[in-house]
Amino acid sequence: MKYYLTTPIYYTNAAPHIGHAYTTIAADCIRRLKGMQGYDVTLATGTDEHGVNVERAAIAAGKTPREYTDVIAEEFRQQWQILGLAIDRFERTTSARHAKVVQDLFLRCKDRGYVYKGTYTGQYCIFDNAFINDAKPGDPCPDCGRPTETVTEENYYFKLSAFQDRLLDLYTNHPDFIQPEIRRNEVLAFVRQGLKDLSISRTSITWGIPVPNEEKHVFYVWFDALSTYMSAVEGENLWPADLHLIGKEIVRFHAVYWPAFLWAAGLEIPKRIFAHGWLLFENDKMSKSRGNIVRATPIHKVLGTDALRYFLLREVPFGSDGSFSYDALVGRYNSDLANGLGNLASRTLTMIHQYRSGVVPRGESDNHVAAHAQSTVELALEAFERFDFSKGLEAIWGLIATVDKFIVERAPWKLAKGGEECAGALDSTLYTAAEALRVVTALLYPVLPQSAEKIWSQLGMPTHLDSVRVADLHWGHLAAGQSLRAVEGVFPRAEAKASIEKMKELEAEELVRQLALLGKTAPAAPTATPLSSAAAKAEAGNGQITIDDFAKVDLRVGMVKSATPVKGADKLLHLAVDIGEAQPRSIVAGIALAYKPEALVGRKVVIVANLAPRKLRGLESQGMIVAASVGDGAPVLAGFLEDVPIGARLK
Ligand code: MSP
């Protein structure tokens, strides 16, 4: 029986961090769990490479979008490899077969009457690739807080409104379709409010999959991205997916748009969507834009990937938000892995080596431990099935504690000194401990694949763990007479201070390496356009200016009212910027390669308002627009996360 699961496909405008790893690790864990249940499992992930913000990131890095996404896609691929994740398909939205799947999906929707042409004017968030209904020009995006952009264009529309009742029936009749419950309720509330038709093509951008027979249109990134779930397994008879695992911020796209697209095309919808919560760092969602990112490879190098897997799945109830901290990571590693599981494994195996020459003795099982093991298997599997990894792990650690206590009570080191009389009790103690270790190890394989395999091998098991099935978890499967292999510590204790310092040091190195990949040279914030000649002159001295020097520069918030290309100058745009004066300022800015004129209208910008006017290409420029200069000098306009009134002064 097949089981096909997916992770979101990750945007290629940023390098991977443990937020992305969180989903992919959880998917890998589910993949292994389903494998244990006997399914023929396929796990697909990939990269989402189209859209304005990827295009802009590429320009800022001085690369073509394709060159840029090649590098970042490879970075994601390697990341999963380094972490040892069992990825079966890695699909890029820039692949030719993916483009064909997207175009076919569109044509099917169109042929069946669910697509029409219209004109769209509205606010768009280029970072979330979402139209913001009811937003006014200049309003921030409600999700990420960044300024929205006004877009007017001819689009293809998808008749989302036609699916409202069918979607509500789906959520009601199949409550498992979108889980956890809190997300299902949000989706229900959203759909009950009424669904508007959805624009699914763009004419304002070029970096996308072309709409068939419409050379000016490319597909809206979500129409493109969601289809990856099908293109990843194109021609393999694996559709529909059994599970889409996602983060909570993209529920609407998966639980509302995606089934509607598929129904419109006459295709089957996925069976289940599960949205987990956010991984927070320093009390905020870990994300590139917030700059509070932790990367996985430093943790992998210092404590091992399994330490990260265990921490993420044990510490954060799956579905809720949770915080990452190095202290908590090392704390859990030492208490649960080094002292808990690692200690149980090494003491059990060492005693069998010492007292029974490394051969599993034939001994009677202790009933209490055997019963606890059986109930733990049931409890943990049931919790894992609900993706409640934390609960399942808690139960397994309960069993570890029971076995530890059992060993202490039976005191095999004393029994070993008791000669023949105690031989039976010693055999029984060692067999019980070893069998419990076998059950625990097999049960932990989905969560700790690398370390569990090491313990499994030291137990002398004849097969690899990936071939173990749920039925093997029954008590009593450990064969007496089996020879153990040499004991090696699996989780060496970590000295907290030193290992945290090491991870932070490696984190800094990884940051620099990833910034270089993204076309940035230094970890510091990008340098802004020089402010004014006065400030520049002052700076020429000892590199510092006084507050009075800075106060000479009149920086103002303005809103772009119009933007037009400047004839014969492919880098220049002529802007009218309202800074709260009687007339908008005329400003000529060298930003045409990075920004399309229509994307600027309605956007808030920062300008130097007291710069002496000058003429450029016959047009008067009454100020200068402030931008960061990144990569080879590509501009990225300064903006605000909060709403700021026009004319506000920057101090
Ligand atoms: N490209 C879209 C998804 C398209 S799927 C058809 C996208 N990409 S993303 O790069 O922003 O990745 C989002 C996903 O990465 C989240 O849904 C989540 O699975 C994971 N995470 C990224 N940051 C995360 C946290 N800080 N915490 C938890 N998960 C995080 O959205």
Side-chain angles (χ1 to χ4, degrees):
M1 230 182 355
K2 70 98 187 169
Y3 190 91
Y4 171 42
L5 78 159
T6 63
T7 75
I9 50 160
Y10 303 110
Y11 286 132
T12 49
N13 60 337
H17 55 72
I18 61 166
H20 306 114
Y22 182 42
T23 318
T24 320
I25 284 174
D28 173 278
C29 173
I30 296 170
R31 186 199 181 284
R32 292 175 198 269
L33 181 72
K34 290 290 157 188
M36 274 176 92
Q37 294 172 355
Y39 287 93
D40 196 358
V41 198
T42 308
L43 166 58
T45 186
T47 39
D48 191 353
E49 306 187 13
H50 292 126
V52 190
N53 45 347
V54 174
E55 189 177 18
R56 284 188 187 165
I59 291 170
K63 291 194 163 88
T64 65
R66 181 72 211 206
E67 285 165 352
Y68 184 77
T69 55
D70 278 351
V71 172
I72 310 296
E74 188 50 33
E75 179 72 5
F76 272 96
R77 199 194 290 272
Q78 275 177 21
Q79 182 81 181
W80 309 144
Q81 221 166 42
I82 292 170
L83 299 181
L85 306 187
I87 304 297
D88 302 291
R89 305 284 181 277
F90 188 99
E91 189 69 17
R92 299 179 54 184
T93 55
T94 45
S95 81
R97 78 165 178 177
H98 171 70
K100 184 155 184 327
V101 168
V102 175
Q103 290 169 337
D104 285 351
L105 182 73
F106 171 78
L107 291 174
R108 291 179 76 114
C109 294
K110 193 161 173 254
D111 290 347
R112 294 161 58 94
Y114 290 106
V115 165
Y116 62 94
K117 240 182 196 179
T119 304
Y120 177 85
T121 297
Q123 296 308 113
Y124 187 73
C125 174
I126 61 154
F127 296 95
D128 295 330
N129 288 305
F131 283 108
I132 314 299
N133 290 334
D134 309 322
K136 294 182 300 303
D139 280 357
C141 166
D143 284 336
C144 72
R146 282 175 281 209
T148 55
E149 299 185 1
T150 305
V151 177
T152 297
E153 55 182 51
E154 182 193 60
N155 287 171
Y156 274 105
Y157 275 84
F158 175 78
K159 280 192 192 163
L160 185 64
S161 54
F163 293 96
Q164 178 161 345
D165 293 343
R166 196 165 167 190
L167 284 165
L168 290 173
D169 285 349
L170 170 71
Y171 311 138
T172 312
N173 300 334
H174 300 276
D176 271 356
F177 175 71
I178 165 75
Q179 284 289 313
E181 202 53 23
I182 180 174
R183 303 295 157 228
R184 178 170 166 268
N185 291 337
E186 281 169 11
V187 170
L188 271 167
F190 174 76
V191 175
R192 279 189 188 129
Q193 268 177 16
L195 292 177
K196 291 198 183 124
D197 290 351
L198 183 75
S199 154
I200 54 162
S201 77
R202 297 280 175 278
T203 48
S204 55
I205 56 171
T206 49
W207 179 236
I209 295 175
V211 174
N213 311 317
E214 280 287 358
E215 56 178 35
K216 274 182 17 225
H217 291 248
V218 298
F219 284 105
Y220 167 48
V221 283
W222 277 98
F223 193 85
D224 166 349
L226 290 159
S227 311
T228 315
Y229 298 141
M230 289 201 311
S231 50
V233 291
E234 169 68 357
E236 294 188 69
N237 216 6
L238 289 174
W239 192 257
D242 295 271
L243 172 69
H244 290 323
L245 195 62
I246 58 172
K248 68 178 184 182
E249 78 289 359
I250 54 176
V251 164
R252 197 199 324 155
F253 303 99
H254 285 78
V256 182
Y257 298 176
W258 185 220
F261 293 160
L262 290 164
W263 279 330
L267 298 169
E268 282 188 81
I269 63 167
K271 296 204 180 120
R272 191 170 176 199
I273 295 162
F274 190 95
H276 62 69
W278 283 343
L279 210 52
L280 312 174
F281 188 56
E282 290 157 359
N283 298 323
D284 222 337
K285 183 189 176 215
M286 203 178 286
S287 77
K288 186 191 71 149
S289 54
R290 293 180 174 91
N292 60 343
I293 280 172
V294 173
R295 288 152 186 86
T297 36
I299 300 170
H300 154 82
K301 283 185 187 149
V302 176
L303 299 177
T305 300
D306 281 359
L308 176 63
R309 293 174 72 105
Y310 178 75
F311 177 81
L312 294 176
L313 297 173
R314 174 70 181 87
E315 184 84 6
V316 186
F318 206 57
S320 312
D321 291 351
S323 287
F324 174 87
S325 83
Y326 286 111
D327 284 333
L329 169 72
V330 176
R332 277 253 175 235
Y333 173 86
N334 278 332
S335 69
D336 296 8
L337 296 178
N339 292 350
L341 175 62
N343 189 37
L344 173 68
S346 71
R347 89 201 287 206
T348 303
L349 297 168
T350 305
M351 286 190 299
I352 297 178
H353 274 285
Q354 261 181 359
Y355 308 139
R356 291 293 179 258
S357 314
V359 176
V360 176
R362 185 172 307 280
E364 218 170 282
S365 298
D366 176 83
N367 285 339
H368 172 66
V369 174
H372 192 176
Q374 265 329 110
S375 63
T376 302
V377 168
E378 279 160 34
L379 218 152
L381 287 179
E382 185 269 332
F384 286 172
E385 190 62 23
R386 288 183 286 110
F387 306 148
D388 192 347
F389 304 110
S390 186
K391 189 82 178 284
L393 291 169
E394 194 185 325
I396 298 172
W397 258 259
L399 175 60
I400 292 176
T402 295
V403 184
D404 269 339
K405 194 160 160 259
F406 165 77
I407 294 175
V408 171
E409 280 169 5
R410 288 278 190 110
W413 43 93
K414 286 190 190 150
L415 294 174
K417 289 184 191 142
E420 271 309 297
E421 218 175 283
C422 298
L426 181 59
D427 285 347
S428 153
T429 307
L430 295 179
Y431 182 84
T432 301
E435 173 58 347
L437 179 64
R438 185 194 68 88
V439 171
V440 162
T441 306
L443 201 48
L444 282 173
Y445 168 68
V447 178
L448 303 174
Q450 295 175 15
S451 343
E453 183 70 50
K454 284 185 195 158
I455 300 173
W456 194 250
S457 156
Q458 293 178 32
L459 262 169
M461 302 306 295
T463 53
H464 284 291
L465 252 182
D466 57 4
S467 60
V468 165
R469 297 290 169 262
V470 169
D472 301 316
L473 294 170
H474 287 304
W475 186 267
H477 279 216
L478 179 65
Q482 178 167 303
S483 293
L484 307 188
R485 299 195 179 88
V487 183
E488 270 172 62
V490 179
F491 302 108
R493 239 194 108 71
E495 205 283 299
K497 195 161 168 279
S499 48
I500 292 174
E501 267 168 21
K502 185 73 196 159
M503 283 187 280
K504 288 189 171 164
E505 192 186 306
L506 292 169
E507 172 67 29
E509 284 172 21
E510 188 66 347
L511 167 69
V512 172
R513 190 188 65 78
Q514 287 190 345
L515 280 173
L517 278 184
L518 296 165
K520 297 170 189 167
T521 44
T527 31
T529 308
L531 296 179
S532 76
S533 55
K537 247 188 247 156
E539 215 184 358
N542 60 0
Q544 293 176 331
I545 60 169
T546 66
I547 187 80
D548 295 337
D549 289 328
F550 178 71
K552 289 179 195 152
V553 186
D554 186 10
L555 292 166
R556 296 288 173 133
V557 175
M559 182 190 278
V560 179
K561 295 305 225 185
S562 70
T564 42
V566 175
K567 265 203 195 119
D570 58 0
K571 290 194 180 147
L572 296 181
L573 287 181
H574 184 205
L575 311 175
V577 181
D578 178 3
I579 60 164
E581 297 171 337
Q583 291 293 323
R585 293 282 184 110
S586 156
I587 295 180
V588 181
I591 55 173
L593 295 183
Y595 293 90
K596 295 248 187 304
E598 56 273 28
L600 289 169
V601 177
R603 178 167 174 158
K604 290 208 174 132
V605 292
V606 176
I607 71 155
V608 183
N610 60 342
L611 197 63
R614 59 180 181 148
K615 284 226 160 155
L616 284 164
R617 300 267 168 171
L619 298 163
E620 182 164 88
S621 191
Q622 306 159 330
M624 187 179 79
I625 200 154
V626 177
S629 169
V630 294
D632 290 342
V636 176
L637 291 179
F640 298 91
L641 291 181
E642 288 82 14
D643 199 15
V644 183
I646 290 170
R649 181 152 191 208
L650 278 80
K651 298 201 261 192

